[in-house]
């Protein structure tokens, strides 16, 4: 089932992997599900959960997944592209819930990025505490590999 209209609600920085390839996307879409499957480890909350990658963010390593057992549930996970099983909280779950939670999270991210931060400081986290936002989880400290790109 195509999610084109749903993914379009997220904005221009998301690529719908269920639709025809976007001209501005050179990522290997088949590699997304493979990497997600590789990174999710036995202690991860989504270990054993059937997830379908339906989109990825063009500006970073976020993937949008639909839960196959609960089609009204979506999650945004941040991949590390380590090409191995992760440890701790990685891949991080940035948002999880129904579609309205995903939209609320995206709106909160947009609001945080548009805030003017004094003296070059990062935007405050207040705008990121919106519905659907999961608490920040620390990085693993492992080097991040580049996502595979499709041949030109």
């Amino acid at each position: 089932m195509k999610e084109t209209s749903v993914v379009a609600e997220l904005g221009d920085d998301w690529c719908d992997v269920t639709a025809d390839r976007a001209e501005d996307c050179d990522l290997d879409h088949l590699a997304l599900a493979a990497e997600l499957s590789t990174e999710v480890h036995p202690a991860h909350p989504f270990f054993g959960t059937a997830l379908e990658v339906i989109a990825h963010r063009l500006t970073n390593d976020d993937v949008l997944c639909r839960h196959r057992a609960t089609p009204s549930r979506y999650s945004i996970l941040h991949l590390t592209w380590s090409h191995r099983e992760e440890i701790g909280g990685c891949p991080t779950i940035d948002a999880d819930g129904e579609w309205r939670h995903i939209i609320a999270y995206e709106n909160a991210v947009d609001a945080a990025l548009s805030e003017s931060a004094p003296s070059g400081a990062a935007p405050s986290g207040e705008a990121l505490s919106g519905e659907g936002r999961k608490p920040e989880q620390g990085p693993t400290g492992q080097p991040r590999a580049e996502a595979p790109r499709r041949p030109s």
Side-chain angles (χ1 to χ4, degrees):
M1 179 165 134
K2 297 219 177 212
E3 290 291 332
T4 305
S5 62
V6 175
V7 173
E9 292 180 49
L10 295 175
D12 294 341
D13 63 334
W14 285 91
C15 178
D16 182 346
V17 303
T18 67
D20 293 333
R21 289 187 178 180
E23 289 180 20
D24 57 348
C25 177
D26 64 350
L27 188 67
D28 178 357
H29 289 168
L30 296 176
L32 292 167
E35 184 64 20
L36 178 63
S37 178
T38 299
E39 289 186 24
V40 173
H41 52 88
H44 193 276
F46 290 156
F47 183 76
T49 302
L51 298 173
E52 175 188 8
V53 177
I54 61 171
H56 71 91
R57 195 183 303 268
L58 295 170
T59 54
N60 67 26
D61 296 326
D62 289 348
V63 292
L64 172 66
C65 301
R66 180 179 43 234
H67 293 248
R68 290 182 191 257
T70 313
S72 63
R73 183 177 177 191
Y74 297 86
S75 299
I76 297 176
L77 292 96
H78 185 81
L79 300 178
T80 65
W81 289 100
S82 63
H83 306 295
R84 64 173 173 75
E85 188 176 275
E86 281 298 340
I87 58 172
C90 291
T92 56
I93 303 168
D94 291 342
D96 183 47
E98 295 178 356
W99 188 247
R100 64 187 172 90
H101 299 121
I102 301 302
I103 295 298
Y105 170 78
E106 284 298 300
N107 289 339
V109 168
D110 289 345
L113 293 174
S114 66
E115 284 181 6
S116 59
S119 64
S124 73
E126 291 176 26
L128 293 178
S129 63
E131 189 176 3
R133 175 74 172 160
K134 294 289 184 186
E136 288 295 323
Q137 300 178 27
T140 65
Q142 300 296 319
R144 187 174 133 224
E146 200 45 45
R149 303 292 174 190
R150 70 176 189 223
S152 303

